[in-house]
Amino acid sequence: SHWTHTDCAIREQLICMGPATQNGTGPSEMVFKCQACNRTSELLGWVKDVFQHCVMSWDGEALIRELDFVSRIFHGSKDPRGRKLHWKSDDLKENLRSGKVESKAACKAILMVFKELELDSQKTLENAESESERLIAPQEACNRISEVVHEAVRNMEMVANEKMRMFKKARLSFDACERELAEKAREAGELNMDRQKKKLEIEELERIVRLKSAEADMFQMKANEAKRESERLQRILLAKSDKSEEEYTSNYLKQRLSEAEAEKQYLYEKMKMQETSRLSQSSGGGDPLMFSKIHDLLYSVPPNADGPSNDCHPFRKNP
């Protein structure tokens, strides 16, 4: 806001070269003629006060804008100090835009420029006074020297304070980096220990997998052997089952045959006994029908397993 009408003032020749405002007789410098109060203000000192009070609170972009206004104000200056400020503003502005200089360094540099301009102004005044008055009072000389020394001391103190602040900030950053480095080293050690632990666990798992794989192969081999043994026993069992069935059939047929022979013998004996009884009773006349039935029954018994069972024959006993 303090540069609001700068372009208007430059265009209307309200910012231009003029005599010094202190006594109106000094060398010409850049001044501002106010239309409201009809007063003339010296711009170099005012710009210096603005920068000394505000420059530390500006960022890079704000500083570039401020330097651009200063460069435009003192563009037409014929005063050596104004031209020097114009050149230095252009130089710092270009360095800030290109990134060669940081904003803090540029702030310090512009403040040093104002200090140099102030010293140049003092030298110019001294030269002008020396031309008008070669000799000055000792007390005045001491006062001037004291002022210069005090100003130099203040500048040195300001620079020293700034350096100390930067040193403390750098020290804090260094300590933070050291702590972070120690923390990272500790974390790296823990990660390395975890990696070794995981490696041992993986090796143990691989050993267990190999052991289980060997056990599985052994069990598979035993299962195959058991399967082959089962198949062999099954074949033996089938063979023995077939053989037992054949032996059972053979024994059954032999038993039936022996039973049939015994039954035949029984019937033969009975028929013989009946024949004897019939012969003894032939005088009274025998029963030919009974004799025929006994004869048919005797010769109708089969000599194999297809004959009647024990339950069907009336004269046969159960084995």
Side-chain angles (χ1 to χ4, degrees), residues 122-301:
Q122 291 177 359
K123 290 179 181 179
T124 302
L125 291 175
E126 290 176 0
N127 292 332
E129 291 178 358
S130 63
E131 290 178 359
S132 61
E133 187 179 357
R134 295 295 180 177
L135 297 177
I136 60 175
Q139 185 64 35
E140 186 178 357
C142 291
N143 292 335
R144 291 183 180 179
I145 293 173
S146 177
E147 290 178 359
V148 173
V149 171
H150 288 166
E151 185 67 22
V153 169
R154 284 195 299 270
N155 293 336
M156 292 174 64
E157 288 178 351
M158 183 178 67
V159 173
N161 292 333
E162 183 65 20
K163 294 292 184 183
M164 182 59 66
R165 187 183 65 82
M166 294 178 62
F167 172 75
K168 290 181 179 179
K169 185 178 180 181
R171 183 64 183 178
L172 291 175
S173 300
F174 177 76
D175 293 340
C177 291
E178 287 289 335
R179 289 192 299 271
E180 186 176 0
L181 182 61
E183 184 68 19
K184 295 297 182 182
R186 185 182 63 80
E187 292 178 359
E190 292 178 356
L191 290 176
N192 190 20
M193 292 177 62
D194 291 341
R195 187 174 65 85
Q196 295 293 335
K197 185 177 179 180
K198 295 295 183 183
K199 184 177 179 181
L200 293 176
E201 291 178 356
I202 291 173
E203 292 178 354
E204 181 67 19
L205 289 175
E206 291 178 351
R207 187 182 66 81
I208 293 174
V209 168
R210 290 194 298 269
L211 180 62
K212 294 299 182 182
S213 178
E215 290 179 355
D217 294 339
M218 181 182 67
F219 287 140
Q220 184 64 36
M221 182 179 65
K222 290 184 177 181
N224 294 334
E225 292 178 356
K227 184 178 179 181
R228 289 193 296 270
E229 182 67 18
S230 175
E231 293 175 352
R232 186 179 66 83
L233 292 175
Q234 188 175 7
R235 289 193 299 270
I236 294 173
L237 180 62
L238 291 175
K240 289 186 175 181
S241 176
D242 294 340
K243 186 176 180 181
S244 298
E245 186 175 356
E246 291 177 357
E247 291 178 354
Y248 175 77
T249 304
S250 177
N251 292 331
Y252 177 76
L253 293 176
K254 288 180 180 179
Q255 185 178 2
R256 291 295 301 274
L257 182 60
S258 62
E259 290 176 354
E261 290 292 337
E263 187 175 1
K264 181 180 179 181
Q265 185 65 28
Y266 170 75
L267 292 175
Y268 178 75
E269 292 293 334
K270 186 176 181 179
M271 186 183 68
K272 186 177 180 180
M273 185 178 58
Q274 290 179 355
E275 180 69 21
T276 304
S277 177
R278 185 184 62 82
L279 291 177
S280 62
Q281 296 177 0
S282 60
S283 59
D287 188 0
L289 182 59
M290 178 66 68
F291 179 79
S292 177
K293 286 182 178 181
I294 293 173
H295 185 271
D296 292 338
L297 182 64
L298 180 62
Y299 289 96
S300 64
V301 177

